[in-house]
Amino acid sequence: MPRRHQPRTFDLWGVPFDGGSTLGWPGSRYAPARVREALGWITQRIENGAIYSLDSDSVHEVGDDLLRDRGDVDVVGHDIHATLDACSAAVADSLREGRSPIVIGGDDSVLFPCARGVHEALPGRVGVIHFDAHLDLMDHNRYQGRVSQSSGMRRSLELDRINADDCIQVAVRHFNFPSSATFKRTSGLPHITAREFQALGPVSAVEQILDRVSGADHLFLSFDIDAIDPAFAPGAGAHEPGGLTSGEALEAVRLLAPHCDAFAVTEVNPLTDHPTSTTATLTAYLLFHFAVFGAGGARR
């Protein structure tokens, strides 16, 4: 399991791109701006470098540089490869500077360049903890090509030091392509369904997740917002009923944060969100939970 140098600080990157949304609803290009707006409501509660968590009844010393907004990566709207290369470079730059990247997508084509950025910047085995309603194991089809919102996990597993032995998919449900089932079974990539996660509860589910990826030297946590039930997160690229509750998702991120080197939330779609930005606000809380509980500073 990765060793952490504490306390950690974080870089926030936006990827306002939905050119990989060849299925589902486009619109996630608007997510970074909307999530930043919601995040400002939360971060204003930091006083003298500290924030009080009611859930843990503790004051976290987070300092004055917990979450540095690095702006948006260099998106090239007509060129998915140039955009994803820029995303990888941003993630790698943060890690090389000793900071942990937090990425706001963008569609879930962002999964692959984030994993690649971790792979490029850090040595050893890299594991991916992938929360998503879908498998994202598409190899190629005529509608999506090889790089899309449906192929991020498949492309990540083609990198030299990312192996299925160090990865797990969480909150998957309903139906997917038979070819993806074949790949999963052949590669040994496991999953925990949304129903199984809920039966276990967040604490036991996270214990199983961390046991699975314990051989990795570094971990990337990728969170497609449709892992959460659309009742709690209507602003998504696709609606799959039966997902996690917002409380379960927040608890899972809180528990996983100390173990993960990078975090990305994808497929947040303001065009399908509630008018009061329910999903963008939930996303902002996911990001802030990752930073506060992943920082590892003193508590009082």
Side-chain angles (χ1 to χ4, degrees), residues 91-109:
V91 168
D93 285 349
S94 290
L95 290 168
R96 289 177 181 134
E97 292 169 10
R99 300 178 65 87
S100 296
I102 296 176
V103 176
I104 312 168
D107 67 58
D108 211 15
S109 62

Side-chain angles (χ1 to χ4, degrees), residues 1 4 21 24 32 37 57 59 75 111 119 137 151 157 193 195 223 230 247 254 259 272:
M1 188 59 61
R4 304 280 167 241
S21 297
E37 182 179 351
D57 192 23
V59 175
V75 167
L111 189 167
H119 185 268
L137 294 173
S151 64
L157 287 165
T193 67
R195 184 179 298 178
F223 202 112
R254 182 184 73 81
H259 306 277
T272 62

Side-chain angles (χ1 to χ4, degrees), residues 129-132 168-173 191-210 221 223 227-229 242-256 286:
I129 302 171
H130 178 209
F131 279 72
D132 200 323
I168 189 168
Q169 298 184 291
V170 185
V172 294
R173 54 195 186 273
H191 69 253
I192 296 174
T193 67
R195 184 179 298 178
E196 289 169 336
F197 185 102
Q198 291 167 327
L200 288 166
V203 173
S204 294
V206 167
E207 287 176 355
Q208 287 196 18
I209 291 166
L210 291 175
L221 174 57
F223 202 112
I228 302 173
D229 192 275
L244 307 185
T245 67
S246 55
E248 289 166 339
L250 288 162
E251 181 72 353
V253 168
R254 182 184 73 81
L255 294 169
L256 289 168
L286 290 169

Side-chain angles (χ1 to χ4, degrees), residues 14-22 25-32 72-85 87 104-110 113 147-149 266-268:
V15 187
F17 177 77
D18 53 20
S21 297
T22 43
W25 298 302
S28 56
R29 70 182 70 183
Y30 303 111
D72 293 336
V73 306
D74 185 18
V75 167
V76 184
H78 68 87
D79 191 335
I80 189 171
H81 295 287
T83 298
L84 300 193
D85 286 349
C87 181
I104 312 168
D107 67 58
D108 211 15
S109 62
V110 168
V147 180
S148 73
Q149 64 184 164
T266 61
E267 294 288 346
V268 177

Side-chain angles (χ1 to χ4, degrees), residues 37-246:
E37 182 179 351
L39 188 62
W41 170 250
I42 307 168
T43 56
Q44 55 90 20
R45 297 168 186 155
I46 297 175
E47 290 180 331
N48 301 316
I51 188 83
Y52 173 42
S53 166
L54 287 132
D55 296 302
S56 60
D57 192 23
S58 56
V59 175
H60 296 248
E61 303 288 350
V62 296
D64 298 320
D65 193 29
L66 173 69
L67 189 57
R68 184 186 303 171
D69 194 339
R70 299 286 297 271
D72 293 336
V73 306
D74 185 18
V75 167
V76 184
H78 68 87
D79 191 335
I80 189 171
H81 295 287
T83 298
L84 300 193
D85 286 349
C87 181
S88 292
V91 168
D93 285 349
S94 290
L95 290 168
R96 289 177 181 134
E97 292 169 10
R99 300 178 65 87
S100 296
I102 296 176
V103 176
I104 312 168
D107 67 58
D108 211 15
S109 62
V110 168
L111 189 167
F112 168 59
C114 288
R116 185 173 59 183
V118 177
H119 185 268
E120 290 174 353
L122 299 177
R125 294 165 57 173
V126 175
V128 180
I129 302 171
H130 178 209
F131 279 72
D132 200 323
H134 309 102
L135 296 174
D136 291 1
L137 294 173
M138 174 61 63
D139 187 21
H140 177 275
N141 66 21
R142 69 184 297 264
Y143 304 105
Q144 299 177 283
R146 283 179 54 81
V147 180
S148 73
Q149 64 184 164
S150 299
S151 64
M153 195 64 182
R154 181 69 170 258
R155 299 285 82 85
S156 297
L157 287 165
E158 294 171 349
L159 297 169
D160 290 341
R161 289 177 286 106
I162 297 182
N163 188 280
D165 291 341
D166 299 320
C167 299
I168 189 168
Q169 298 184 291
V170 185
V172 294
R173 54 195 186 273
H174 303 321
F175 305 102
N176 216 281
F177 304 101
S179 58
S180 294
T182 299
F183 178 83
K184 270 180 58 64
R185 293 166 180 169
T186 301
S187 66
L189 177 64
H191 69 253
I192 296 174
T193 67
R195 184 179 298 178
E196 289 169 336
F197 185 102
Q198 291 167 327
L200 288 166
V203 173
S204 294
V206 167
E207 287 176 355
Q208 287 196 18
I209 291 166
L210 291 175
D211 180 65
R212 167 65 187 189
V213 300
S214 60
D217 298 297
H218 301 284
L219 295 172
F220 164 48
L221 174 57
S222 177
F223 202 112
D224 185 320
I225 203 67
D226 69 20
I228 302 173
D229 192 275
F232 301 92
H239 286 169
E240 297 283 358
L244 307 185
T245 67
S246 55

